[in-house]
Amino acid sequence: DAKTTQPPSMDCAEGRAANLPCNHSTISGNEYVYWYRQIHSQGPQYIIHGLKNNETNEMASLIITEDRKSSTLILPHATLRDTAVYYCIVRAINTGTASKLTFGTGTRLQVTL
Amino acid sequence: DGGITQSPKYLFRKEGQNVTLSCEQNLNHDAMYWYRQDPGQGLRLIYYSQIVNDFQKGDIAEGYSVSREKKESFPLTVTSAQKNPTAFYLCASSTRTGSDYGYTFGSGTRLTVV
C-alpha cells in the first residue's frame, strides 16, 4: 500500500470548516483513499473513501486532486466532538483478498471555542 | 446491531503471564485483524486472518499468537515472550473482496503489565 503524509496537528474554530490535507504521491491506480478518525481511547471510525471523484456523505466531503496525488478531508462545520486524530490511508480493493490498512500517525485536529 | 465486541476493556497482567484478549464480530466479515497502539503512535498490525483456520503475521507478531477456529472469533494471546506488552489493542474486521467501507473496529482493550 502507498504511504501517506499528513501534518501532525491542526486547529480549527468551532463552526468553521476543517480542511485536513493528505499527500499520497505514490498511489496506484487501484488504490482508494480512506479516511478514519480516532477519538481518544476508542477504536478508529470510518469517515469516507473515494477513488478519483469527489465524495460527500453526512459526515464529511473528500476532495481528490485530478492526478490523485493528494486529497483533502473537509468537515464543513466542525464541532468540539470532531476533536480527534484523523488518518488518511490508501488501500487497494477488488483484488480478491482483504488488504491490510497501514496507519501512519495521522493529524491531531483540535476544535476550539 | 452488528459490530465487534472486544473484552475486557481493561486488563492487568503480571509479568511472565500469558493473557488472552477476546474479539467477536457478528458482521459476517471474512477478514479479521489485530492492531497495537502505543501512546501518541499510530496503529501497528500484529496478525490478520482472511478466512477460518488461516492467519498471517503482521509487522510486529513476535510475542503474540492467534487462532481462527470460527468466523466470528479471533482471540489474541499476549505471551510472556512479548517484552513490552503494555498497550492499547484494537481488533477489526472487513469484507474480503470488493468495494466496501473498509474496516470496522472494536472499542479496544487496554492491557497493563503490573
Side-chain angles (χ1 to χ4, degrees), chain A residues 47-95:
Chain A
I47 301 173
I48 198 167
H49 75 287
L51 182 63
K52 55 183 179 181
N53 297 319
N54 298 338
E55 303 287 344
T56 296
N57 63 21
E58 64 278 5
M59 290 182 67
S61 295
L62 174 59
I63 309 297
I64 302 173
T65 58
E66 191 169 345
D67 63 9
R68 302 209 323 122
K69 293 184 177 182
S70 65
S71 61
T72 301
L73 178 74
I74 301 173
L75 307 178
H77 305 286
T79 71
L80 296 177
R81 292 183 180 181
D82 293 321
T83 293
V85 177
Y86 288 77
Y87 296 100
C88 168
I89 299 162
V90 293
R91 175 190 185 221
I93 61 175
N94 293 324
T95 62

Side-chain angles (χ1 to χ4, degrees), chain B residues 42-53:
Chain B
L43 283 67
R44 292 184 291 168
L45 183 65
I46 304 172
Y47 268 98
Y48 65 104
S49 168
Q50 300 204 28
I51 56 173
V52 174
N53 293 322

Side-chain angles (χ1 to χ4, degrees), chain A residues 14-16 18 20 37-39 45 59 75-86 107-111:
Chain A
E14 190 176 34
R16 305 296 294 268
L20 289 85
R37 74 179 182 184
Q38 186 178 24
I39 296 171
Q45 174 192 24
M59 290 182 67
L75 307 178
H77 305 286
T79 71
L80 296 177
R81 292 183 180 181
D82 293 321
T83 293
V85 177
Y86 288 77
T107 295
R108 183 173 298 277
L109 175 67
Q110 180 68 53
V111 180

Side-chain angles (χ1 to χ4, degrees), chain A residues 32 34 36 38 41-46 49 87 91 93-105 108, chain B residues 9 31 33 35 37 40-43 45 48 50 88 90 94-103 105-107 110:
Chain A
Y32 283 64
Y34 279 78
Y36 288 79
Q38 186 178 24
S41 294
Q42 298 182 22
Q45 174 192 24
Y46 165 85
H49 75 287
Y87 296 100
R91 175 190 185 221
I93 61 175
N94 293 324
T95 62
T97 60
S99 58
K100 302 171 287 183
L101 288 182
T102 301
F103 287 80
T105 52
R108 183 173 298 277
Chain B
K9 189 172 179 65
Y33 312 80
Y35 284 87
Q37 187 173 36
Q41 303 297 313
L43 283 67
L45 183 65
Y48 65 104
Q50 300 204 28
F88 187 48
L90 285 158
S94 73
T95 60
R96 191 173 166 208
T97 62
S99 177
D100 62 15
Y101 295 97
Y103 286 21
F105 281 87
S107 56
R110 190 167 299 279

Side-chain angles (χ1 to χ4, degrees), chain B residues 4-114:
Chain B
I4 294 183
T5 301
Q6 289 187 243
S7 60
K9 189 172 179 65
Y10 297 96
L11 189 57
F12 296 88
R13 187 195 96 175
K14 292 183 178 180
E15 281 194 43
Q17 288 182 338
N18 292 354
V19 63
T20 298
L21 282 59
S22 171
C23 178
E24 304 276 336
Q25 55 99 358
N26 61 2
L27 300 165
N28 199 33
H29 283 170
D30 289 300
M32 297 186 74
Y33 312 80
W34 274 104
Y35 284 87
R36 168 184 172 139
Q37 187 173 36
D38 294 287
Q41 303 297 313
L43 283 67
R44 292 184 291 168
L45 183 65
I46 304 172
Y47 268 98
Y48 65 104
S49 168
Q50 300 204 28
I51 56 173
V52 174
N53 293 322
D54 184 58
F55 47 84
Q56 290 81 39
K57 293 182 178 180
D59 300 319
I60 55 165
E62 185 175 352
Y64 299 97
S65 66
V66 294
S67 62
R68 188 85 186 278
E69 298 177 0
K70 299 187 300 181
K71 186 175 184 178
E72 303 79 17
S73 179
F74 192 40
L76 173 75
T77 297
V78 184
T79 75
S80 56
Q82 169 51 237
K83 298 192 184 308
N84 186 20
T86 295
F88 187 48
Y89 291 88
L90 285 158
C91 179
S93 70
S94 73
T95 60
R96 191 173 166 208
T97 62
S99 177
D100 62 15
Y101 295 97
Y103 286 21
T104 300
F105 281 87
S107 56
T109 293
R110 190 167 299 279
L111 173 64
T112 302
V113 173
V114 297

